[in-house]
């Protein structure tokens, strides 16, 4: 067995016949690659294979296990697709992320929030303001909730390098109270990023750094309400979370229907509303892209005095072609624009940006100042370094490749386990919408899925008016094996619940 020489900086994990005490004879017949990947995944999870360490070369490992090199290569590829390791050419296959902690086993002590209730009861009543908190707290072995990026792929090494660079160059004054709009460094980096990826030309002085899109929406709601706008049209189907946020700040949210070309502008014009919130680059949850004709009609509506709030929540994640330009890029005077890094890095970052026409900008800065005096400065400096160094762009390219593989896995699994289901929105984003024909109540189906240990969101949560039954399924955060298992469980749940009722509960 070969070992690194004392004093060398070789970080390879020791290889040999005793590597992790693996016995290939314990693998199930016909599933040895799957078994080997599982053993390596478990070793990464419990730190026997540390982050930054290298797996043995495939040829060496195969010889020591007494198997074909192709078997080891297949096992490594499974880990690559799951985001736990990356191949770095001559540098080998490197461990970069640990699997998420395993959920509590059945019978384990429950948290105070969930101990006294059946989690599936979440779907038996109309969703309240705390519904997403409650769903996140519900125990499950697989979470296919939409809106979550690949958290295992968070670029920890790049973040640490950027943080060291920032700390090496940080002036003492940079740690004091700053501009409530955000640090000039991040506002400049965000303006450059928006110009490159969303076609938006904006002066950095016009960028307001916010704690994610949620805060951006909240600040806009306050300012618009004070300006006399008490109702904002929302897409239907459309994001339950955004709708709840607007209502919590005192705005009514009348529904405007969505069709395969995006928002129905004729219905918006007939409503008499002064403002509307849209997701034109990738409509949530249907995945529709606002087409050219609808964009032109919406812009004509805005030019006649309407205000557009553009939620650009995951526009960078497009797989069939370049993302369509933001509405803000062509109609700056009538569009309030908000975006974030929640779908690109992690929701826990709580960093986003808000752009608004001049007539609202001072009021928005005042509202941001009153809310929190501005976002924490250090993460802003680090994010700006990631943007300007090219690290964030490289991370986006990695995510796009990985998301395509996971999306394709989910589509294949849906075809296998949900015959007859219709898939929507596959060209972009982090989720798919699936609709069903026949006697399906999607809230009951979501409850049955949770009983199988799989979290999904019923489409009816995101509808104010009757709509086809369906589910919204996230795929970005899950390795392929979990996606396959989760959709198989969904198929079992559908067979149990199909045909029980025909009445749908509006969200």
């Amino acid at each position: 067995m070969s070992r690194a020489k004392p004093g060398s900086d070789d970080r390879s994990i020791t290889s040999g016949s005793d590597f992790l005490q693996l016995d290939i004879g314990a693998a199930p017949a016909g599933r040895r690659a799957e078994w080997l990947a599982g053993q390596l995944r478990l070793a990464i999870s419990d730190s026997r294979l540390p982050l930054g360490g290298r797996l043995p070369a495939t040829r060496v490992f195969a010889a020591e296990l007494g198997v074909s090199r192709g078997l080891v290569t297949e096992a490594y590829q499974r880990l690559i697709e799951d985001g736990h390791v990356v191949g770095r050419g001559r540098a080998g296959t490197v461990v970069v992320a640990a699997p998420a902690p395993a959920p509590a086993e059945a019978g384990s002590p429950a948290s105070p929030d969930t101990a006294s209730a059946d989690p599936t009861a979440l779907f038996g009543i109309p969703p309240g303001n705390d519904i997403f908190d409650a769903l996140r707290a519900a125990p499950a072995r697989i979470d296919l909730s939409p809106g979550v990026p690949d958290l295992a792929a968070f670029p920890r090494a790049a973040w640490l390098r950027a943080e060291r660079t920032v700390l090496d160059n940080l002036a003492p004054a940079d740690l004091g109270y700053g501009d409530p709009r955000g640090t000039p460094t991040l506002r400049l980096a965000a303006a450059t990023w928006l110009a490159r990826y969303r076609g938006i030309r904006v002066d950095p002085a016009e960028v307001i750094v916010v704690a994610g899109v949620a805060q951006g929406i909240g600040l806009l709601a306050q300012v618009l309400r004070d300006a006399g706008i008490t109702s904002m049209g929302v897409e239907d189907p459309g994001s339950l979370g955004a709708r709840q946020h607007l209502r919590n700040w005192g705005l009514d949210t009348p529904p405007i229907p969505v069709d395969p070309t995006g928002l129905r502008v004729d219905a918006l014009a007939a409503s008499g509303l002064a403002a509307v919130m849209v997701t034109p680059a990738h409509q949530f949850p249907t995945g529709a892209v606002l087409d050219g004709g609808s964009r032109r009609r919406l812009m004509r509506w805005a030019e006649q005095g309407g205000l557009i709030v553009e939620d650009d929540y995951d526009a960078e994640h497009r797989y069939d072609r370049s993302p369509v330009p933001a509405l803000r890029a062509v109609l700056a005077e009538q569009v309030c624009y908000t975006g974030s890094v929640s779908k690109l890095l992690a929701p826990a970052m709580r960093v986003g940006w808000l752009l608004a026409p001049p007539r609202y900008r001072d009021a928005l800065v005042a509202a941001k100042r009153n809310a929190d005096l501005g976002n924490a400065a250090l993460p802003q400096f680090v994010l700006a370094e990631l943007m300007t160094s090219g690290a964030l762009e490289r991370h986006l390219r990695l995510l796009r490749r990985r998301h395509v593989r996971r999306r394709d896995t989910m589509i294949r699994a849906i075809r296998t386990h949900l015959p007859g289901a219709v898939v929507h929105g596959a060209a972009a984003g982090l989720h798919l919408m699936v609709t069903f024909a026949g006697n399906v109540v999607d809230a009951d189906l979501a409850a049955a899925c949770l009983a199988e240990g799989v979290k999904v969101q019923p489409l009816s949560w995101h509808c104010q008016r009757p709509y086809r039954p369906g589910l919204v399924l996230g795929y970005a955060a899950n390795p392929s094996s979990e996606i396959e298992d989760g959709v198989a469980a969904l198929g079992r749940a559908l067979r149990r619940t199909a045909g029980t009722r025909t009445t749908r509960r509006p969200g």
Side-chain angles (χ1 to χ4, degrees), residues 157-185:
W159 183 271
L160 285 172
R161 285 194 298 271
E163 195 166 65
R164 292 189 189 100
T165 299
V166 166
L167 291 174
D168 285 345
N169 296 282
L170 200 64
D174 291 330
L175 295 173
Y177 289 105
D179 191 324
R181 295 173 298 172
T183 66
T185 305

Coordinates of all heavy atoms in Angstrom, one line a residue, residues 157-185:
A157 N -15.0 27.1 -0.5 CA -13.6 27.4 -0.6 C -13.5 28.8 -1.3 O -12.6 29.6 -0.8 CB -12.9 26.4 -1.5
A158 N -14.3 29.1 -2.3 CA -14.2 30.4 -2.9 C -14.7 31.5 -2.0 O -14.1 32.6 -2.0 CB -15.1 30.4 -4.2
W159 N -15.7 31.2 -1.1 CA -16.1 32.2 -0.2 C -15.0 32.5 0.8 O -14.7 33.7 1.2 CB -17.4 31.7 0.6 CG -17.9 32.7 1.5 CD1 -17.6 32.9 2.8 CD2 -18.9 33.7 1.2 NE1 -18.3 33.9 3.4 CE2 -19.1 34.4 2.4 CE3 -19.6 34.1 0.1 CZ2 -20.0 35.5 2.5 CZ3 -20.5 35.1 0.2 CH2 -20.7 35.8 1.4
L160 N -14.3 31.5 1.3 CA -13.2 31.7 2.3 C -12.1 32.5 1.7 O -11.5 33.4 2.3 CB -12.7 30.3 2.8 CG -13.6 29.6 3.8 CD1 -13.1 28.2 4.1 CD2 -13.7 30.4 5.1
R161 N -11.8 32.2 0.4 CA -10.7 33.0 -0.3 C -11.1 34.4 -0.4 O -10.3 35.3 -0.1 CB -10.4 32.4 -1.7 CG -9.6 31.1 -1.6 CD -9.1 30.8 -3.0 NE -10.2 30.6 -4.0 CZ -10.7 29.4 -4.2 NH1 -10.4 28.3 -3.6 NH2 -11.7 29.3 -5.2
A162 N -12.4 34.6 -0.8 CA -12.9 36.0 -0.9 C -12.9 36.7 0.4 O -12.5 37.9 0.5 CB -14.2 36.0 -1.5
E163 N -13.3 36.0 1.5 CA -13.3 36.6 2.8 C -11.9 37.0 3.3 O -11.7 38.1 3.9 CB -13.9 35.7 3.8 CG -14.4 36.3 5.1 CD -15.3 35.4 5.9 OE1 -14.9 34.3 6.3 OE2 -16.5 35.8 6.1
R164 N -10.9 36.2 3.0 CA -9.5 36.5 3.4 C -9.1 37.7 2.6 O -8.4 38.6 3.2 CB -8.6 35.3 3.1 CG -8.9 34.1 4.0 CD -7.8 33.1 3.9 NE -8.1 31.8 4.6 CZ -8.6 30.7 4.0 NH1 -8.8 30.7 2.6 NH2 -8.9 29.7 4.7
T165 N -9.4 37.8 1.3 CA -9.0 38.9 0.5 C -9.6 40.2 1.1 O -9.0 41.2 1.2 CB -9.4 38.7 -0.9 OG1 -8.8 37.6 -1.5 CG2 -9.1 39.9 -1.8
V166 N -10.9 40.1 1.4 CA -11.6 41.3 2.0 C -11.0 41.7 3.3 O -10.7 42.9 3.5 CB -13.1 41.0 2.1 CG1 -13.8 42.0 3.0 CG2 -13.8 40.9 0.8
L167 N -10.8 40.8 4.2 CA -10.2 41.1 5.5 C -8.8 41.7 5.4 O -8.4 42.5 6.2 CB -10.3 39.9 6.4 CG -11.7 39.4 6.8 CD1 -11.6 38.1 7.6 CD2 -12.4 40.5 7.7
D168 N -8.0 41.2 4.4 CA -6.7 41.7 4.3 C -6.7 43.2 3.8 O -5.7 43.9 4.0 CB -5.9 40.9 3.2 CG -5.5 39.5 3.8 OD1 -5.5 39.4 5.0 OD2 -5.1 38.6 3.0
N169 N -7.8 43.6 3.2 CA -7.8 45.0 2.6 C -8.8 45.9 3.2 O -9.0 47.0 2.8 CB -8.1 44.8 1.1 CG -7.0 44.1 0.3 OD1 -5.9 44.7 0.1 ND2 -7.2 42.9 0.0
L170 N -9.5 45.4 4.3 CA -10.6 46.2 4.9 C -10.1 47.3 5.7 O -9.2 47.1 6.6 CB -11.4 45.2 5.7 CG -12.9 45.7 6.0 CD1 -13.7 45.8 4.8 CD2 -13.5 44.7 7.0
A171 N -10.6 48.5 5.5 CA -10.2 49.6 6.3 C -11.1 49.6 7.6 O -12.2 49.2 7.5 CB -10.4 50.9 5.5
P172 N -10.5 50.1 8.7 CA -11.4 50.2 9.9 C -12.7 50.9 9.7 O -13.7 50.4 10.3 CB -10.5 50.9 10.9 CG -9.1 50.7 10.4 CD -9.2 50.6 8.9
A173 N -12.7 51.9 8.9 CA -14.0 52.7 8.7 C -15.0 51.8 8.0 O -16.2 52.1 8.1 CB -13.7 53.9 7.9
D174 N -14.6 50.8 7.3 CA -15.6 49.9 6.6 C -16.4 49.1 7.6 O -17.5 48.6 7.1 CB -14.8 49.0 5.7 CG -14.2 49.7 4.5 OD1 -14.7 50.7 4.0 OD2 -13.2 49.2 4.0
L175 N -16.0 49.0 8.8 CA -16.8 48.3 9.8 C -17.7 49.2 10.6 O -18.3 48.7 11.6 CB -15.8 47.5 10.7 CG -14.9 46.5 10.0 CD1 -13.9 45.9 11.0 CD2 -15.8 45.3 9.5
G176 N -17.8 50.4 10.3 CA -18.7 51.3 11.0 C -20.1 51.3 10.4 O -20.4 50.6 9.4
Y177 N -20.9 52.2 10.8 CA -22.2 52.4 10.2 C -22.0 53.0 8.8 O -21.2 53.8 8.6 CB -23.1 53.4 11.0 CG -23.6 52.8 12.3 CD1 -23.0 53.2 13.5 CD2 -24.6 51.9 12.4 CE1 -23.4 52.7 14.8 CE2 -25.0 51.3 13.6 CZ -24.4 51.8 14.8 OH -24.8 51.2 16.0
G178 N -22.8 52.4 7.9 CA -22.6 52.8 6.5 C -23.9 53.3 5.9 O -24.8 53.7 6.5
D179 N -23.8 53.4 4.5 CA -25.0 53.9 3.8 C -26.1 52.8 3.8 O -25.9 51.6 3.6 CB -24.5 54.0 2.3 CG -25.5 54.8 1.4 OD1 -26.7 54.6 1.6 OD2 -25.0 55.5 0.5
P180 N -27.3 53.2 4.1 CA -28.4 52.2 4.2 C -28.7 51.6 2.9 O -29.3 50.5 2.8 CB -29.6 53.1 4.7 CG -29.3 54.5 4.4 CD -27.8 54.6 4.5
R181 N -28.2 52.2 1.8 CA -28.4 51.6 0.4 C -27.4 50.4 0.3 O -27.6 49.6 -0.7 CB -28.1 52.6 -0.7 CG -29.1 53.8 -0.7 CD -28.6 54.8 -1.8 NE -27.3 55.4 -1.4 CZ -26.6 56.2 -2.2 NH1 -27.0 56.5 -3.4 NH2 -25.4 56.6 -1.7
G182 N -26.5 50.2 1.1 CA -25.5 49.2 1.0 C -24.1 49.7 0.7 O -23.9 50.9 0.5
T183 N -23.1 48.8 0.7 CA -21.7 49.3 0.5 C -21.6 49.6 -0.9 O -22.1 49.0 -1.9 CB -20.7 48.1 0.9 OG1 -20.9 47.1 -0.1 CG2 -20.9 47.6 2.3
P184 N -20.8 50.7 -1.2 CA -20.5 51.1 -2.6 C -19.9 49.9 -3.4 O -20.2 49.8 -4.6 CB -19.6 52.3 -2.5 CG -19.9 52.8 -1.1 CD -20.2 51.7 -0.3
T185 N -19.1 49.1 -2.7 CA -18.5 48.0 -3.5 C -19.5 47.0 -4.0 O -19.4 46.6 -5.2 CB -17.5 47.3 -2.5 OG1 -16.6 48.2 -1.9 CG2 -16.7 46.2 -3.2

